[in-house]
Structure formats: C-alpha cells, structure tokens
Coordinates of all heavy atoms in Angstrom, one line a residue:
E15 N 166.8 89.0 36.0 CA 167.8 89.0 34.9 C 167.9 90.3 34.2 O 168.9 90.6 33.6 CB 167.5 87.9 33.9 CG 167.6 86.5 34.5 CD 166.2 86.0 35.0 OE1 165.2 86.7 34.9 OE2 166.2 84.9 35.6
K16 N 166.8 91.2 34.1 CA 166.9 92.4 33.3 C 167.2 93.6 34.2 O 167.4 94.7 33.6 CB 165.5 92.6 32.7 CG 165.1 91.5 31.7 CD 163.8 91.8 31.1 CE 163.4 90.7 30.1 NZ 162.1 90.9 29.5
L17 N 167.5 93.4 35.4 CA 167.8 94.6 36.3 C 169.2 95.2 36.0 O 170.2 94.5 35.8 CB 167.8 94.1 37.8 CG 167.8 95.1 38.9 CD1 166.7 96.1 38.8 CD2 167.8 94.5 40.2
V18 N 169.2 96.5 35.9 CA 170.4 97.2 35.6 C 170.5 98.5 36.5 O 169.5 99.2 36.7 CB 170.4 97.7 34.1 CG1 171.7 98.5 33.9 CG2 170.3 96.5 33.2
G19 N 171.6 98.7 37.2 CA 171.8 99.8 38.0 C 172.0 101.1 37.2 O 172.2 101.1 36.0
G20 N 172.0 102.2 37.9 CA 172.1 103.5 37.3 C 173.4 103.8 36.6 O 173.4 104.7 35.7
S21 N 174.5 103.1 36.9 CA 175.7 103.2 36.2 C 176.0 102.0 35.3 O 177.1 101.7 34.9 CB 176.9 103.4 37.2 OG 176.8 104.7 37.8
N22 N 174.9 101.3 34.9 CA 174.9 100.2 34.0 C 175.5 98.9 34.5 O 175.9 98.1 33.7 CB 175.7 100.6 32.7 CG 175.1 99.9 31.5 OD1 174.0 99.6 31.4 ND2 176.0 99.6 30.5
T23 N 175.5 98.7 35.9 CA 175.8 97.4 36.4 C 174.7 96.5 36.1 O 173.5 96.7 36.5 CB 176.1 97.5 37.9 OG1 177.2 98.3 38.2 CG2 176.3 96.1 38.5
K24 N 175.0 95.4 35.4 CA 174.0 94.4 35.0 C 173.9 93.3 36.1 O 174.8 93.0 36.8 CB 174.3 93.8 33.7 CG 174.2 94.9 32.6 CD 174.6 94.3 31.2 CE 174.4 95.2 30.1 NZ 174.6 96.6 30.3
F25 N 172.7 92.7 36.2 CA 172.4 91.6 37.1 C 173.4 90.5 36.9 O 173.8 90.1 35.8 CB 171.0 91.1 36.8 CG 170.6 89.9 37.6 CD1 170.3 90.0 38.9 CD2 170.6 88.6 37.0 CE1 169.9 88.9 39.7 CE2 170.3 87.5 37.7 CZ 169.9 87.6 39.1
V26 N 173.9 90.0 38.0 CA 174.8 88.8 38.1 C 174.1 87.7 38.8 O 173.7 87.9 40.0 CB 176.1 89.2 38.8 CG1 177.1 88.1 38.8 CG2 176.8 90.4 38.2
S27 N 173.9 86.6 38.2 CA 173.1 85.5 38.7 C 173.6 85.0 40.1 O 172.7 84.4 40.8 CB 172.9 84.4 37.7 OG 174.2 83.8 37.5
N28 N 174.8 85.1 40.4 CA 175.3 84.6 41.7 C 175.4 85.6 42.8 O 175.9 85.4 43.9 CB 176.6 83.8 41.6 CG 177.7 84.7 41.1 OD1 177.5 85.8 40.5 ND2 179.0 84.3 41.5
I29 N 174.9 86.9 42.5 CA 174.8 87.9 43.5 C 173.4 88.4 43.6 O 172.9 89.3 43.0 CB 175.8 89.1 43.1 CG1 177.2 88.6 42.9 CG2 175.7 90.2 44.2 CD1 178.2 89.7 42.5
T30 N 172.7 87.6 44.5 CA 171.2 87.9 44.6 C 170.8 88.3 46.0 O 169.7 88.5 46.3 CB 170.4 86.7 44.2 OG1 170.7 85.6 45.0 CG2 170.7 86.3 42.7
D31 N 171.8 88.5 46.9 CA 171.5 89.0 48.3 C 171.7 90.5 48.3 O 171.8 91.2 47.3 CB 172.4 88.3 49.3 CG 173.9 88.6 49.1 OD1 174.3 89.3 48.1 OD2 174.7 88.1 49.9
K32 N 171.9 91.1 49.5 CA 172.0 92.6 49.6 C 173.4 93.1 49.2 O 173.6 94.4 49.2 CB 171.8 93.0 51.1 CG 172.9 92.6 52.0 CD 172.6 93.2 53.4 CE 173.8 93.0 54.3 NZ 173.6 93.6 55.6
T33 N 174.3 92.3 48.7 CA 175.6 92.8 48.3 C 175.5 94.0 47.3 O 176.3 94.9 47.4 CB 176.4 91.6 47.6 OG1 176.5 90.6 48.5 CG2 177.8 92.1 47.2
Y34 N 174.6 93.9 46.3 CA 174.5 94.9 45.3 C 173.2 95.8 45.5 O 172.7 96.5 44.6 CB 174.5 94.4 43.9 CG 175.8 94.0 43.3 CD1 177.0 94.0 44.1 CD2 176.0 93.7 42.0 CE1 178.2 93.6 43.6 CE2 177.2 93.3 41.4 CZ 178.3 93.3 42.3 OH 179.5 93.0 41.7
A35 N 172.6 95.7 46.7 CA 171.4 96.5 47.1 C 171.8 97.9 47.5 O 171.6 98.3 48.6 CB 170.6 95.8 48.2
R36 N 172.4 98.6 46.5 CA 172.9 99.9 46.8 C 172.8 100.7 45.4 O 172.8 100.1 44.4 CB 174.3 100.0 47.3 CG 175.3 99.3 46.4 CD 176.7 99.4 47.0 NE 177.6 98.6 46.2 CZ 178.7 98.0 46.7 NH1 179.0 98.0 47.9 NH2 179.5 97.3 45.9
I37 N 172.9 102.0 45.5 CA 173.0 102.9 44.3 C 174.2 102.5 43.6 O 175.3 102.4 44.2 CB 172.9 104.3 44.7 CG1 171.6 104.7 45.3 CG2 173.2 105.2 43.5 CD1 171.5 106.1 45.9
D38 N 174.1 102.2 42.3 CA 175.2 101.8 41.5 C 176.3 102.9 41.4 O 176.0 104.0 41.0 CB 174.6 101.5 40.1 CG 175.6 100.8 39.1 OD1 176.7 100.5 39.6 OD2 175.3 100.6 38.0
G39 N 177.5 102.5 41.8 CA 178.6 103.4 41.7 C 179.6 103.0 40.7 O 180.8 103.3 40.8
G40 N 179.2 102.2 39.7 CA 180.1 101.8 38.6 C 181.0 100.6 39.1 O 180.7 99.9 40.1
E41 N 182.1 100.5 38.4 CA 183.0 99.3 38.7 C 183.6 99.3 40.1 O 183.8 98.2 40.6 CB 184.2 99.4 37.7 CG 183.8 99.0 36.3 CD 185.0 98.9 35.3 OE1 186.1 98.6 35.8 OE2 184.8 99.1 34.1
S42 N 183.8 100.5 40.7 CA 184.4 100.5 42.0 C 183.3 100.2 43.1 O 183.7 99.8 44.2 CB 185.0 101.9 42.3 OG 184.0 102.9 42.3
A43 N 182.1 100.4 42.9 CA 181.0 100.1 43.8 C 179.7 99.7 43.1 O 178.7 100.4 43.1 CB 180.7 101.3 44.7
P44 N 179.7 98.5 42.5 CA 178.6 98.1 41.7 C 177.3 97.9 42.5 O 177.4 97.5 43.7 CB 179.0 96.7 41.1 CG 180.2 96.3 41.9 CD 180.8 97.5 42.5
G45 N 176.2 98.3 41.9 CA 174.9 98.1 42.6 C 173.8 97.9 41.6 O 174.0 98.3 40.4

C-alpha cells in the first residue's frame, strides 16, 4: 500500500501483477 514509483505513481490495489513492474514513467507509463 505504501509503494510509490519514481514519478509519484501510487500503489493501486487492483494492479498487483507485473503490469506496473517497471520504472515509473508518469501518467503515460505508470510504474
């Protein structure tokens, strides 16, 4: 729940697989 990506993408409880397992690219490529 406290995880935040480098461009401030916050954890989303229904996205817990590899979908956001990337370097945070902001709104266009959240991670």
Side-chain angles (χ1 to χ4, degrees):
E15 296 91 4
K16 295 180 182 177
L17 190 58
V18 179
S21 292
N22 209 31
T23 295
K24 293 179 179 31
F25 175 77
V26 181
S27 62
N28 65 336
I29 303 176
T30 61
D31 64 357
K32 73 175 186 175
T33 304
Y34 282 11
R36 60 180 172 210
I37 294 173
D38 191 5
E41 288 184 29
S42 63

